[in-house]
């Protein structure tokens, strides 16, 4: 799994932020607030994201309506797992990661670890 390209990331960011399905026209109109972009380019990239499995689409009238197949958090977790798979010393990589997180992030991580432990204990 590779990270998104720039335009892929911008499209996904908008769809995740909006939390609702959207047409390519809506995405293009929003992107154009920051920079010029062609409708056909965004349409092609949305189709590529659909082909890769990152977006699902449904025909509404004459337009495709797109929405992400996973949450931003799930995508980020997949990237983190992929990064961990690149080393034979996962504990060392995790230690370096934890050494760089904030106190709030450490608190969130501890809460997540407690949830995993409780889930495993319940099995």
């Amino acid at each position: 799994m590779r990270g998104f390209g720039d335009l892929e990331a911008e499209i996904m960011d908008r769809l995740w932020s909006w939390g609702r399905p959207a047409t390519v026209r809506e995405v293009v109109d929003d992107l154009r607030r920051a920079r010029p972009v062609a409708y056909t380019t965004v349409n092609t990239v949305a189709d590529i994201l659909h082909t890769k499995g990152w977006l699902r689409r449904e025909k509404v009238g004459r337009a495709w309506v797109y929405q992400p197949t996973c949450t931003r958090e799930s995508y980020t977790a997949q990237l983190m797992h992929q990064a961990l798979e690149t080393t034979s010393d996962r504990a060392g990589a995790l230690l370096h990661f934890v050494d760089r997180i904030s106190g709030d992030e450490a608190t969130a991580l501890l809460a997540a670890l407690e949830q995993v432990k409780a889930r495993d204990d319940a099995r």
Side-chain angles (χ1 to χ4, degrees), residues 18-123:
W18 294 340
R20 61 170 176 76
T23 64
V24 169
R25 172 56 56 205
E26 291 175 287
V27 175
V28 168
D29 289 346
D30 197 60
L31 286 169
R32 284 184 177 162
R33 293 179 192 186
R35 65 181 176 92
V37 63
Y39 177 93
T40 55
T41 301
V42 176
N43 191 55
T44 298
V45 173
D47 186 58
I48 290 168
L49 287 166
H50 173 258
T51 300
K52 290 179 177 179
W54 294 112
L55 294 178
R56 73 176 57 92
R57 68 183 180 192
E58 178 182 338
K59 194 82 160 184
V60 176
R62 294 180 0 160
W64 288 110
V65 177
Y66 290 90
Q67 68 183 64
T69 57
C70 68
T71 64
R72 184 188 317 259
E73 295 75 19
S74 175
Y75 170 73
T76 302
Q78 289 177 53
L79 287 177
M80 293 168 71
H81 278 284
Q82 179 185 359
L84 278 175
E85 289 173 358
T86 66
T87 181
S88 59
D89 184 8
R90 287 185 176 193
L94 287 168
L95 181 59
H96 283 284
F97 173 76
V98 170
D99 191 45
R100 293 184 175 132
I101 64 175
S102 70
D104 288 344
E105 291 167 333
T107 300
L109 179 58
L110 284 171
L113 291 170
E114 289 172 7
Q115 287 179 351
V116 169
K117 184 175 180 349
R119 179 196 68 205
D120 289 350
D121 289 348
R123 290 183 180 170

